[in-house]
Amino acid sequence: MELVHVKGNTYYIKNATNIGVYKVDENSVYLIDTGNDSDAGKKILKLLEQENLKVMGIINTHSNADHIGGNKVIQDRTGCKILGYGIEKSITENPLLEPSFLYGGYPFKELRNKFLCAKPSMVTDIENNLPAGLEYFFVRGHFFDMIGIKTSDEVYFLGDSLFSEETITKYHLFFIYDVKEFLNTLEYLSTLKGELFIPSHVEATRNITPLIEMNKKKIEEVLDVIMNSCMKNTFEEILKNVFDYYHLVMNTNQYVLIGSTIKSYLSYLYEEGKIKYEFVDNKMLWEKI
């Protein structure tokens, strides 16, 4: 981990999940997300201690395990408050909700892993509790009530509202809860002006326009792939067709993450009037209009 000074009171820790750091006074900071597990939380604390900085609070952009995984160990060791919004607050307090939602039932043991299910932490509603110098804005689509954070130094922390070129070109599919909201968020991001933009899994950049366009084009491509697979096929057949098309290999995590994403694409296409469904022999079949 490396602590990088951006401007003024704004820093970030370069990590698999980038961690925002904002100084609220000479020796105290708020974090934006905490990484994927307790080890990440311990490393964050060690790095900040070396800089004589104490964690006063944590802001979670959303409740995915790789963003809240360090919450508990940091809260236990510092007594800091954790701020979250809406449904994200509820899932952070009750992380079993995430694999349950993804699977659509009680998750079997292979799904109750740290990648999908973090340890619970106590969360305060973010409304009226942000320190001076920080404000939040909505970047819904990837997850229910995901937020971004803007600092007084015109630095934007964007959560998972944008995916990297590597993810897009290598995996093609990335988790989306609400396709329409994700596309709306991309349009919103294109209006932002700032010193620096820091998505959670992308290198910090001063220009996010190329990444916005890349995310948008990939979603449009995936929509076409899924729609062309709607030939009176079941969801499972569509899921297989998409994995085969992109030469991807199935495992339990991918089954629930990408499976849930494919269902979100199907909902979007249905509500856009591009596909329809019917029940035949007790099977739900999707068909292109």
Side-chain angles (χ1 to χ4, degrees):
M1 288 187 176
E2 175 188 357
L3 183 64
V4 179
H5 183 221
V6 179
K7 181 183 177 183
N9 293 325
T10 306
Y11 301 70
Y12 75 102
I13 298 171
K14 294 183 72 172
N15 190 37
T17 300
N18 291 322
I19 310 299
V21 180
Y22 185 78
K23 271 190 174 183
V24 291
D25 61 43
E26 191 60 33
N27 298 110
S28 303
V29 300
Y30 265 68
L31 300 176
I32 303 168
D33 292 333
T34 59
N36 63 350
D37 57 18
S38 59
D39 285 342
K42 293 172 185 176
K43 290 176 182 177
I44 290 167
L45 286 174
K46 183 177 180 180
L47 179 61
L48 294 176
E49 286 168 2
Q50 292 170 353
E51 301 292 330
N52 294 316
L53 295 172
K54 180 182 178 180
V55 178
M56 182 177 289
I58 295 166
I59 305 163
N60 288 137
T61 59
H62 61 299
S63 56
N64 286 169
D66 59 331
H67 292 258
I68 67 169
N71 278 16
K72 181 171 173 53
V73 69
I74 295 174
Q75 188 173 61
D76 285 350
R77 293 189 179 188
T78 68
C80 71
K81 68 171 66 174
I82 297 173
L83 304 181
Y85 184 89
I87 296 174
E88 308 301 338
K89 174 182 180 295
S90 298
I91 297 175
T92 303
E93 293 174 324
N94 304 278
L96 187 62
L97 290 171
E98 182 173 340
S100 300
F101 144 71
L102 291 170
Y103 181 56
Y106 181 73
F108 52 91
K109 62 182 180 179
E110 284 81 4
L111 295 176
R112 301 192 306 271
N113 60 63
K114 71 174 185 178
F115 182 70
L116 299 177
C117 189
K119 293 180 180 179
S121 48
M122 296 182 294
V123 186
T124 301
D125 193 289
I126 196 170
E127 194 68 34
N128 300 319
N129 282 302
L130 273 176
L134 297 178
E135 59 183 272
Y136 74 90
F137 52 94
F138 292 110
V139 281
R140 294 185 172 105
H142 168 70
F143 222 50
F144 296 92
D145 285 325
M146 188 168 69
I147 59 172
I149 299 294
K150 178 188 176 185
T151 78
S152 59
D153 302 303
E154 300 296 314
V155 178
Y156 288 83
F157 292 91
L158 300 178
D160 283 350
S161 59
L162 286 171
F163 289 86
S164 69
E165 180 178 0
E166 179 185 10
T167 296
I168 292 169
T169 57
K170 184 176 181 180
Y171 299 106
H172 305 283
L173 294 155
F174 38 87
F175 183 83
I176 299 178
Y177 167 66
D178 186 329
V179 176
K180 186 173 183 178
E181 282 297 317
F182 193 96
L183 291 171
N184 288 341
T185 288
L186 293 182
E187 292 299 320
Y188 169 71
L189 294 178
S190 68
T191 69
L192 299 181
K193 308 293 182 185
E195 284 287 323
L196 195 69
F197 300 93
I198 308 176
S200 292
H201 305 292
V202 184
E203 288 287 333
T205 179
R206 297 188 185 279
N207 181 14
I208 56 173
T209 300
L211 203 55
I212 291 171
E213 289 304 311
M214 189 175 298
N215 276 257
K216 186 177 180 180
K217 286 180 180 179
K218 180 55 69 173
I219 290 173
E220 291 169 350
E221 176 190 297
V222 172
L223 283 168
D224 285 339
V225 171
I226 292 172
M227 189 163 63
N228 289 331
S229 185
C230 291
M231 304 294 289
K232 290 193 174 181
N233 284 331
T234 65
F235 158 72
E236 291 281 351
E237 289 168 332
I238 293 167
L239 180 61
K240 172 180 166 46
N241 289 344
V242 173
F243 265 70
D244 289 347
Y245 182 88
Y246 286 118
H247 306 290
L248 301 173
V249 178
M250 188 73 70
N251 59 40
T252 51
N253 284 347
Q254 290 302 309
Y255 178 77
V256 294
L257 286 168
I258 302 306
S260 179
T261 298
I262 297 297
K263 288 178 180 177
S264 295
Y265 274 107
L266 290 171
S267 293
Y268 175 79
L269 288 167
Y270 174 74
E271 295 191 353
E272 291 291 306
K274 295 183 178 181
I275 61 174
K276 62 183 180 179
Y277 66 85
E278 63 178 334
F279 290 94
V280 178
D281 294 329
N282 290 325
K283 293 187 294 185
M284 187 180 195
L285 305 180
W286 292 93
E287 182 180 7
K288 180 167 62 172
I289 296 176

